[in-house]
Amino acid sequence: MIKPRVYVTRRTLQPGLELLSSRCEVTVHQGEEPPSREELIRNIRGKDGLLCMLTDRIDSEVIGAAPSLKVISSFSVGVDHIDTAEATRRGIYVTYTPGVLTQATADLAFTLMMAAARRISEADRYVRNGEWKIGWSPTMLLGEEAYGKTLGIVGLGRIGSAVAERALGFRMKVLYHSRTRSPEKEKKLNAEYRSLDDLLKESDFVSLHIPFTEKTRQIIDRQKLGLMKKNAVLINTSRGQVVDEDALAEALEKGWIAGAGLDVYSTEPLPADSPLLKLKNTVLSPHIGSATHQTRSLMSEITAKNLLAVLKGEEPPYLFNPEVKEIRPLSEIKVF
Ligand code: GLV
């Protein structure tokens, strides 16, 4: 029996590759860097499945280069790098990895919140740079407290809710803004709904947990930043494009807000001339929301299981575009 052919755009952790190799003929892109666009297009030709990363732009040209493609399995929860509408139109199943990375990402949002509030990056540099000359001082590196403060969560999905759970332990007042209100979540998480403007006006910490779409592009713009409190800290572990980064740098520089904890940027890696790099009151991490051994290993397993399920003609654990079943039912896919 001919094995289905699969292209994997980066060497991932085990057990994913082992699982895939047991059933498919797998081509893995070698090296730390993502494949170039030409490599991607060349390698996707003739494949039944693609396992890609969020750094691979899977647009209509890439999809069009692979008429036999049946499934795109993304090693991410965000799918803004994939033209999902085009995939659906062509009967291609798009799968992703929600759920498994919720706790790791919520941990990072909380870490950035605490680090920005207590100026941890600045304090670390202060010690390393030999600036720590006086053993202890009543006024050295004063920051903000999180305990009992107000946390505004924009997007109360899986990750936003997991951040709210952590906030309960800090006796924080939790506000949220979401497309839809959820009375059950409000009760469970002791969270109060607010319009986006009111949430920004009332919160000491604002954490963003929304996907990047045309509707959320720069949803936090100059005007919205202007609504925030002077002592407020903005946390972003979702996508850089949901914030107007130039306006944010200005807000931080001019003291409209007190600080920021950022894991994501409109351009990644962050360009060397980004004004954010010069700001003291900003904690920066390099898109590591899901980067724990445990989570990345689970992501490797889920991406392989998602991909194999579709090729077997079975319901994948995490399907992003269920409407694709109307275009090409799973029974028509079954290649083994
Ligand atoms: C990370 O940003 C992801 O979408 O998984």
Side-chain angles (χ1 to χ4, degrees):
M1 187 181 177
I2 302 170
K3 281 183 168 180
R5 300 175 70 200
V6 171
Y7 180 48
V8 180
T9 64
R10 218 85 67 81
R11 178 160 288 285
T12 66
L13 282 71
Q14 293 301 357
L17 284 180
E18 225 167 80
L19 258 171
L20 280 184
S21 307
S22 65
R23 304 296 304 267
C24 308
E25 189 188 313
V26 181
T27 308
V28 183
H29 171 75
Q30 300 300 325
E32 297 288 315
E33 301 269 331
S36 66
R37 193 165 171 76
E38 293 70 45
E39 281 176 285
L40 187 58
I41 289 176
R42 184 163 13 94
N43 280 292
I44 202 175
R45 285 206 182 102
K47 300 295 190 290
D48 301 287
L50 170 71
L51 197 157
C52 67
M53 311 291 135
L54 57 85
T55 40
D56 305 312
R57 194 157 55 83
I58 313 298
D59 56 17
S60 56
E61 193 193 349
V62 175
I63 295 174
S68 53
L69 199 64
K70 296 161 185 74
V71 52
I72 300 171
S73 170
S74 189
F75 197 94
S76 63
V77 63
V79 290
D80 45 283
H81 54 297
I82 303 172
D83 186 340
T84 54
E86 176 67 10
T88 304
R89 210 175 57 74
R90 289 178 180 259
I92 298 170
Y93 285 64
V94 178
T95 63
Y96 65 146
T97 63
V100 290
L101 48 64
T102 301
Q103 302 306 335
T105 310
D107 275 352
L108 186 78
F110 227 80
T111 303
L112 289 174
M113 181 177 97
M114 297 304 296
R118 296 303 300 271
R119 303 170 61 182
I120 292 300
S121 301
E122 228 182 307
D124 182 86
R125 287 193 293 268
Y126 188 81
V127 175
R128 290 176 199 276
N129 295 345
E131 290 168 60
W132 187 23
K133 298 284 188 331
I134 302 166
W136 186 89
S137 154
T139 54
M140 181 170 66
L141 285 163
L142 305 186
E144 302 292 334
E145 272 177 48
Y147 191 89
K149 294 286 175 64
T150 300
L151 170 64
I153 298 180
V154 182
L156 198 66
R158 294 181 189 82
I159 301 172
S161 301
V163 171
E165 276 173 12
R166 284 156 179 74
L168 289 176
F170 276 63
R171 300 277 190 274
M172 294 178 96
K173 176 172 176 180
V174 177
L175 308 178
Y176 81 100
H177 178 75
S178 216
R179 268 172 312 181
T180 45
R181 280 186 71 159
S182 162
E184 292 107 89
K185 284 189 191 168
E186 286 176 22
K187 201 158 160 228
K188 179 168 168 240
L189 302 167
N190 201 15
E192 293 175 27
Y193 180 84
R194 291 287 188 281
S195 67
L196 182 56
D197 284 7
D198 285 346
L199 178 145
L200 295 169
K201 283 182 202 160
E202 290 178 46
S203 301
D204 300 300
F205 297 91
V206 174
S207 195
L208 307 178
H209 301 286
I210 40 177
F212 168 47
T213 64
E214 275 319 306
K215 286 208 177 90
T216 62
R217 182 187 292 279
Q218 300 201 349
I219 194 168
I220 303 297
D221 59 11
R222 186 173 301 270
Q223 182 260 340
K224 294 281 186 262
L225 289 163
L227 298 175
M228 292 175 70
K229 290 182 176 180
K230 262 184 163 333
N231 70 327
V233 171
L234 180 73
I235 310 302
N236 191 8
T237 52
S238 60
R239 284 292 182 269
Q241 291 91 335
V242 304
V243 176
D244 177 344
E245 216 164 79
D246 292 335
L248 174 62
E250 188 180 347
L252 288 160
E253 199 187 327
K254 296 194 171 151
W256 306 348
I257 66 173
L262 308 174
D263 187 48
V264 289
Y265 310 90
S266 45
T267 305
E268 297 178 0
L270 192 59
D273 62 354
S274 166
L276 292 173
L277 291 168
K278 296 207 178 75
L279 297 165
K280 269 189 169 177
N281 51 351
T282 309
V283 179
L284 307 173
S285 57
H287 204 147
I288 53 168
S290 64
T292 66
H293 295 289
Q294 186 184 325
T295 291
R296 288 285 165 85
S297 161
L298 280 170
M299 286 169 79
S300 127
E301 189 175 335
I302 292 289
T303 44
K305 285 188 172 161
N306 274 336
L307 192 147
L308 289 173
V310 175
L311 294 183
K312 281 189 219 159
E314 292 169 5
E315 183 75 26
Y318 298 103
L319 178 60
F320 179 80
N321 59 344
E323 64 279 12
V324 71
K325 290 191 235 173
E326 310 276 315
I327 314 251
R328 176 153 55 169
L330 281 161
S331 54
E332 282 179 22
I333 292 203
K334 204 167 165 32
V335 288
F336 55 51

